[in-house]
Amino acid sequence: MKTKIASVALALTALTSGQTVLAQQACVEAADLGDAIAYAMPMLYETVQVPCSSTFAESAFMTNEADAFLDQFREQQDASWPGTLRLLKVFMAAQDSESTGEDALVAAIAQMPEESLRPLVDVIIGQMLNERIASTIKVSTCSDIAEAMELVAPLPPENITGLATFIAKRADLKNPTICGVANIGNKTSQTSSPLPPVVK
């Protein structure tokens, strides 16, 4: 499994090598970050659901309404896929890689249509979420996660992803950074990319 993930990661990096804009761009577009958040939301829930299953079982919202909440994001995954892939390409291109060679599998993956890469990208996202979230989450925080989901559930998905993107901008997201956000001293300022519109 790890070999497959590494191969896909190298292939995505190879896909960026012929795209000058992506190769020189050390940041991700805010819209692509929003797409990636929408795309990954169902997978994020699956990641935290395992360590938090007992806590979620005690929450009326998590047992009765969470699926309907997540279905809104599942319905947007097709539309969010192009932006998600663009973000992942920039992220992969920004990583330092010890290996620059491509084996036959990597070369074959690099030639695949972008839509065909989607199941493999899902594997990468799932692996990243497991490594960065599932392995570090504490059961004591599961009730906070359930409460946060219940609080944002009444909002349209566009507002939820817009809010998450807004927070990422103000948090001075790194590796990669968000395009149009400059760090001045200890304050993060937005030089372009206005706030997402509020969806009513």
Side-chain angles (χ1 to χ4, degrees):
M1 179 64 71
K2 290 186 177 180
T3 300
K4 179 184 288 186
I5 293 172
S7 297
V8 176
L10 286 172
L12 287 171
T13 303
L15 282 172
T16 68
S17 62
Q19 302 179 27
T20 304
V21 174
L22 280 178
Q24 295 177 346
Q25 180 176 316
C27 61
V28 297
E29 297 294 339
D32 289 345
L33 176 60
D35 283 345
I37 293 169
Y39 188 87
M41 186 68 76
M43 288 179 274
L44 176 60
Y45 172 76
E46 291 173 2
T47 298
V48 300
Q49 200 275 336
V50 174
C52 293
S53 57
S54 59
T55 302
F56 287 177
E58 299 174 356
S59 166
F61 172 81
M62 299 304 288
T63 55
N64 299 320
E65 301 178 51
D67 283 342
F69 169 75
L70 293 165
D71 281 344
Q72 299 176 91
F73 293 95
R74 294 185 182 105
E75 292 170 359
Q76 292 192 356
Q77 282 185 314
D78 287 346
S80 300
W81 161 246
T84 301
L85 182 59
R86 284 193 298 269
L87 181 144
L88 193 57
K89 285 180 178 180
V90 173
F91 178 80
M92 291 297 182
Q95 305 306 299
D96 291 329
S97 177
E98 295 180 0
S99 174
T100 58
E102 292 184 38
D103 59 18
L105 177 59
V106 172
I109 293 175
Q111 298 301 316
M112 292 171 62
E114 291 187 351
E115 189 62 33
S116 299
L117 282 171
R118 186 167 166 177
L120 302 180
V121 167
D122 288 353
V123 173
I124 292 178
I125 294 175
Q127 181 70 19
M128 291 173 64
L129 290 175
N130 281 322
E131 291 178 353
R132 300 189 179 196
I133 297 178
S135 62
T136 60
I137 196 169
K138 296 180 179 179
V139 175
S140 59
T141 64
C142 292
S143 59
D144 293 334
I145 295 172
E147 181 179 359
M149 284 185 62
E150 186 171 1
L151 286 172
V152 300
L155 296 174
E158 294 83 0
N159 288 71
I160 296 172
T161 57
L163 177 61
T165 302
F166 174 81
I167 293 172
K169 288 178 179 178
R170 294 304 177 265
D172 193 21
L173 181 69
K174 298 295 185 184
N175 195 27
T177 58
I178 302 175
C179 299
V181 177
N183 191 2
I184 303 176
N186 293 324
K187 296 182 179 180
T188 300
S189 66
Q190 183 176 307
T191 59
S192 62
S193 301
L195 294 177
V198 175
V199 178
K200 297 181 180 180

